[in-house]
Amino acid sequence: MEFKYLNEQIIAEIKKCRERFPLKEQCIIPALHKILDVYRDIPQEAIEELSEYLQVPLADIEGIVTFYDMFRYRKNAKNHIRICRNLPCHLARYQNILEMIKKKTGADIGKNSPDGKWYIELVECIGSCGIAPAFLINDDLYDGSKIKTEEDIEEILGRYE
Ligand code: FES
């Protein structure tokens, strides 16, 4: 069976777990930890593959992922927002941008917005410290210092509706 998201490392972790535990369900959480290690969040496609690999219902795995906050769940949001949190962006108060984006989209860090349009991720330096606080919407880079009001954010988000 060919998997795109369950790479060798993840499959090795699952196999190791399966040798130790009798129930395949006992290997869901270790597998999710490994997926998180590899991708820094949990892509929807990875849990679909995990469900197929372990022969466990997808809904059971989704239930675990959404229950534990540590599993940041990337469920195919239409738009992916990446906000830099490193020192220059921290000093430039990226938190203000984050709060406005959270409010306007309904998404939270590592959680999709209820309408599935937005996913927010905090990331390390994106090489644009000169325009701190910097953030990306999909592949578009933004200079957060130019954003003063919620209307500014609203206008930008409107481009991706
Ligand atoms: S520290 Fe934020 S872009 Fe470099």
Side-chain angles (χ1 to χ4, degrees):
M1 216 180 305
E2 274 283 299
F3 291 109
K4 192 168 155 225
Y5 283 83
L6 295 193
N7 64 15
E8 272 176 33
Q9 260 178 299
I10 298 166
I11 290 189
E13 183 72 21
I14 299 170
K15 283 185 175 157
K16 208 167 73 188
C17 177
R18 293 291 284 126
E19 283 164 16
R20 279 187 298 152
F21 297 106
L23 299 176
K24 54 193 179 184
E25 288 78 6
Q26 290 173 293
C27 293
I28 296 174
I29 289 183
L32 290 172
H33 276 294
K34 198 69 199 175
I35 291 170
L36 193 61
D37 264 7
V38 172
Y39 298 106
R40 298 175 61 218
D41 57 16
I42 311 282
Q44 172 69 12
E45 298 87 338
I47 63 170
E48 286 168 8
E49 290 184 1
L50 183 62
S51 149
E52 201 180 322
Y53 185 83
L54 285 177
Q55 292 294 296
V56 167
L58 180 61
D60 292 0
I61 303 180
E62 281 183 336
I64 292 173
V65 173
T66 48
F67 181 78
Y68 293 106
D69 277 350
M70 64 195 169
F71 294 133
R72 297 182 298 141
Y73 188 18
R74 175 171 18 128
K75 191 170 180 176
N76 298 338
K78 184 173 167 214
N79 299 294
H80 191 162
I81 303 173
R82 295 180 180 88
I83 303 172
C84 172
R85 63 166 169 207
N86 280 164
L87 193 59
C89 290
H90 187 83
L91 295 175
R93 303 199 51 76
Y94 77 83
Q95 295 92 334
N96 292 345
I97 302 288
L98 171 65
E99 286 312 313
M100 284 195 270
I101 289 178
K102 274 165 60 170
K103 189 169 166 198
K104 291 290 165 193
T105 61
D108 204 341
I109 300 163
K111 301 272 180 217
N112 276 19
S113 57
D115 63 8
K117 283 189 187 163
W118 308 99
Y119 177 81
I120 303 174
E121 183 183 8
L122 289 184
V123 295
E124 305 307 322
C125 180
I126 51 177
S128 306
C129 319
I131 57 165
F135 65 101
L136 289 158
I137 301 183
N138 304 326
D139 294 327
D140 304 325
L141 179 65
Y142 288 96
D143 175 350
S145 69
K146 297 214 169 98
I147 292 164
K148 306 288 179 213
T149 65
E150 288 185 3
E151 286 69 36
D152 297 336
I153 278 287
E154 215 162 47
E155 189 276 314
I156 291 173
L157 296 174
R159 299 174 199 171
Y160 300 88
E161 287 292 339

